[in-house]
Amino acid sequence: MVPAEGVDETALRVRVPAKLNLFLAVRGRRDDGYHELVTVFQTVSLYDHLRVALLGLPGRRHHPAARRRMRVELSADPAVPQGRDNLALRAALRLGELSGIVPLEGPADRDGVRTVIDLEKRIPMAAGMAGGSADAAGALVGLNRLWDCGLAVDQLRAVAAELGSDVPFCVTGGTALGTGRGVEITPVLSRGPFHWLICPDSEPLSTSEVYRAWDRHALPSDVGPDRVLYALRSTDAAGLGAALHNELEAAAFGLRPRLRVRKRALLDAGAVAVVLAGSGPTLLALTADEAAAHALAAAVADWCPQALVARSPAGGPELSHDAGLSDTGPLLRTLE
Ligand code: C5P
């Protein structure tokens, strides 16, 4: 996007990874309708890219009064949810509200200050990989810096929890135990790297529908994450494979029976283990190494041509100066 004549911009780029749930146990339904979880999150090397830019006339862009009322816009491919349906824009508006910024609607005013969020999506959507949550986390991390909000990580996580259950983890990424609704985050040690073939499904699956199916058919479990936490301290794919666990799998497979068939096909084609990604419908096939992930991709290409090879863990959101404006290199690696 080229700013209009006379208008300057300050811009940052944020790269945010998708997440995996290596372990997900459902302890039961809560009074607020959510489910009490024990989960192990890990980021994986599939990324969305955000560019956040503050535009305005020189002198006005950084003027506190001019910045108090500004337009906040999202620019994204039409396939991506638009406006307030997009979690990244909702995150921006909420952070703005908490920072005393009044979002303006209507046509852009040449003298006004604007923030534009450009979103480039690569994480599969509605796939159980927290793509929308990652975008929201990216917007929070990027705008916290661009707008000089000065929120600390735990404050960003509190805002994140208002936006969705996976957003607090996405603010810092890495590997973490999630409890409560999934929003209470404790970092855990992981070595790795672990190698995956990620097999998205062509049709999305609604998270709330999967939880409702769990309500109908499943009982609260008391399985603990110790085996996964132990396996993560090694680089042993077989150990991790034996420990992968997702209690939403039966509910999702009931709603989408072909996923059970595809899991079997991935195992028959050489995956070490296969687990549903979050509430699905993506399947995660763990492989012994990167070459095995590529070989598995070739073996399943006829029914999963969109499969992606990836590695975990993948750190957290990475913030850098916009390349066009600065050659000073990375501004901040991650928030961890
Ligand atoms: O928090 P988020 O908006 O991502 O959750 C989407 C839906 O998933 C919720 O409306 C709820 O139906 C279900 N959910 C749940 N328990 C959780 C997380 C999500 O029931 N811990």
Side-chain angles (χ1 to χ4, degrees), residues 40-267:
V40 178
F41 292 111
Q42 183 159 79
T43 48
V44 65
S45 62
L46 298 183
Y47 303 95
D48 281 351
H49 295 256
L50 289 88
R51 180 178 184 275
V52 289
L54 187 65
L55 293 96
L57 296 172
R60 284 189 65 74
R61 206 165 72 252
H62 296 295
H63 194 280
R67 278 173 52 167
R68 209 160 293 138
R69 295 169 65 76
M70 70 164 111
R71 282 171 55 85
V72 182
E73 299 161 28
L74 176 79
S75 162
D77 186 274
V80 173
Q82 303 289 313
R84 284 170 197 259
D85 288 339
N86 191 292
L87 212 51
L89 186 66
R90 286 222 292 281
L93 294 174
R94 183 67 185 123
L95 183 68
E97 196 181 347
L98 293 169
S99 311
I101 293 167
V102 179
L104 296 177
E105 313 271 348
D109 163 10
R110 187 181 175 279
D111 292 345
V113 178
R114 289 195 295 150
T115 292
V116 180
I117 305 164
D118 277 297
L119 172 59
E120 191 188 321
K121 272 221 79 74
R122 298 193 191 156
I123 302 172
M125 286 190 274
M129 302 198 68
S133 303
D135 301 342
L140 290 178
V141 169
L143 294 174
N144 186 43
R145 176 58 71 97
L146 188 74
W147 290 343
D148 298 320
C149 302
L151 266 59
V153 172
D154 53 345
Q155 293 172 305
L156 282 180
R157 282 224 188 103
V159 183
E162 294 178 28
L163 298 159
S165 305
D166 289 335
V167 188
F169 168 70
C170 294
V171 166
T172 41
T175 309
L177 187 68
T179 52
R181 252 171 72 206
V183 304
E184 283 143 43
I185 301 298
T186 309
V188 299
L189 178 70
S190 174
R191 292 179 72 200
F194 298 102
H195 298 277
W196 303 89
L197 186 70
I198 294 176
C199 299
D201 197 67
S202 48
E203 285 167 70
L205 200 52
S206 146
T207 302
S208 24
E209 216 182 304
V210 173
Y211 276 102
R212 279 201 299 275
W214 184 93
D215 289 337
R216 286 193 298 274
H217 301 295
L219 290 173
S221 110
D222 59 3
V223 179
D226 295 3
R227 282 179 76 195
V228 163
L229 296 177
Y230 181 79
L232 286 174
R233 286 182 225 138
S234 78
T235 56
D236 174 23
L240 181 62
L244 292 173
H245 181 81
N246 184 349
E247 293 175 6
L248 293 177
E249 208 172 87
F253 285 6
L255 293 168
R256 181 78 51 86
R258 70 168 177 245
L259 294 177
R260 194 184 300 279
V261 178
R262 291 179 169 193
K263 175 170 177 170
R264 185 72 257 158
L266 283 161
L267 289 168

Side-chain angles (χ1 to χ4, degrees), residues 197 199 260-274 285-289 291-304 307:
L197 186 70
C199 299
R260 194 184 300 279
V261 178
R262 291 179 169 193
K263 175 170 177 170
R264 185 72 257 158
L266 283 161
L267 289 168
D268 290 346
V272 171
V274 179
L286 180 67
T287 59
D289 52 33
H294 284 287
L296 185 60
V300 303
D302 54 338
W303 60 265
C304 194

